[in-house]
Amino acid sequence: MIQFQNHTTTVFQSALYMTTSAIIQTNEAIIMTDPNWLPSEIQEIQDFINNIQGDKQLYIIYTHSDFDHLIGSGAFPEAKVIASKRFDDNSNKAESIHKIHQFDQKYYLHRSYSPVYPTVDIVVSEDGYTVELDSVTMTFYQAPGHTDDGLFTVIEPYGLFLSGDYLSDVEFPFIFSSYKDYVNTMKKAERILHNHAITTHIPGHGTTTQNQQEIQKRIDSSKYYLTQLPQDKGELENYLRSEYSFFEGMKSIHTDNKEMICKESSEEHL
């Protein structure tokens, strides 16, 4: 289940959708993102944290409120939670928990904890908001587009860029809240690369990379897709099929993305 590991960072990858949970060790804290998916996978993450935590405070950064990224929240009641203001203000909290219960019912899954919508202790309401520990600084950026409550995190001096459901090598952009916001968030991602010494990129789905060219390629691929999408007449499918191994399983998302653009365009002309 461990996808990537060095002396400070361990990335767990679920069997489902290549979903990641990153665990970062500092001198005074443990920082984790999005504990997920299956009960056995959550247990493995718990065991790992128990072995390294000691008396360190556990922080969990939730990159956004899709239920698959919240599904392990109830397993870590002692954690201090960091998330965006929109995540905290979410009016569909009960719906997120309902989706978790639906998932477990569908696949006959028992959990050792009760799923809960996280209570946010540290609310990020602006770009550049920082949380400083003795040995690291976490800098946060709003990242709407996939959902409206997305959050980018940079952890220095480790050079980590935690991007949530953006800049994946296995998923093209999934635009669930706003096309225009997504475009602007990609511009913000590029600025983050220019303004911070990023050495490691950890996406919410897909492969962790320390290759600078690969990080830029992921930005360029998303920007290309977003640029071509408004005028797409079917040509993009061949590109997506060649670039993303699981395109057939996510083909409907491409259709939904085009509908999202039409909807936004219609609303502008009202």
Side-chain angles (χ1 to χ4, degrees), residues 5 14 16 28 42-43 54-55 82 87 93 102 105 134 136 159 176 182 232-233 240 244 253 261 263:
Q5 191 168 41
S14 172
L16 299 178
E28 56 286 313
I42 299 295
Q43 186 62 58
D55 59 358
I82 304 173
F87 180 102
K93 295 177 181 179
Q102 282 184 314
Q105 284 286 310
D134 285 347
V136 303
F176 293 160
Y182 207 119
D232 178 46
K233 304 298 183 184
L240 294 172
Y244 301 97
I253 302 294
I261 287 182
K263 178 184 176 184

Side-chain angles (χ1 to χ4, degrees), residues 131-269:
V131 173
E132 295 193 10
L133 304 175
D134 285 347
S135 58
V136 303
T137 299
M138 295 181 279
T139 306
F140 302 97
Y141 298 88
Q142 309 290 325
H146 171 65
T147 59
D148 67 356
D149 57 6
L151 191 66
F152 284 157
T153 305
V154 174
I155 299 181
E156 295 168 312
Y158 294 175
L160 300 178
F161 179 25
L162 309 168
S163 66
D165 280 10
Y166 297 92
L167 306 178
S168 171
D169 61 329
V170 296
E171 292 180 349
F172 56 87
F174 287 15
I175 309 168
F176 293 160
S177 68
S178 168
Y179 170 77
K180 285 191 171 182
D181 283 350
Y182 207 119
V183 170
N184 289 329
T185 291
M186 287 302 94
K187 294 176 182 176
K188 189 178 297 185
E190 203 149 37
R191 289 197 296 272
I192 287 171
L193 284 190
H194 291 154
N195 295 334
H196 297 274
I198 302 300
T199 61
T200 307
H201 169 232
I202 305 173
H205 299 270
T207 309
T208 300
T209 183
Q210 295 185 305
N211 185 312
Q212 293 295 315
Q213 291 179 324
E214 172 63 20
I215 299 172
Q216 187 61 52
K217 177 180 181 292
R218 295 180 188 186
I219 292 177
D220 291 342
S221 294
S222 291
K223 287 170 62 179
Y224 174 78
Y225 176 77
L226 294 167
T227 300
Q228 297 300 313
L229 187 62
Q231 62 262 16
D232 178 46
K233 304 298 183 184
E235 303 88 350
L236 263 180
E237 278 200 20
N238 289 332
Y239 166 77
L240 294 172
R241 194 171 281 108
S242 67
E243 290 291 317
Y244 301 97
S245 301
F246 303 103
F247 173 69
E248 293 301 329
M250 58 183 85
K251 189 175 179 179
S252 64
I253 302 294
H254 176 51
T255 301
D256 292 344
N257 286 346
K258 289 193 282 187
E259 291 177 357
M260 175 68 75
I261 287 182
C262 291
K263 178 184 176 184
E264 287 188 29
S265 179
S266 297
E267 289 175 349
E268 282 184 358
H269 291 91

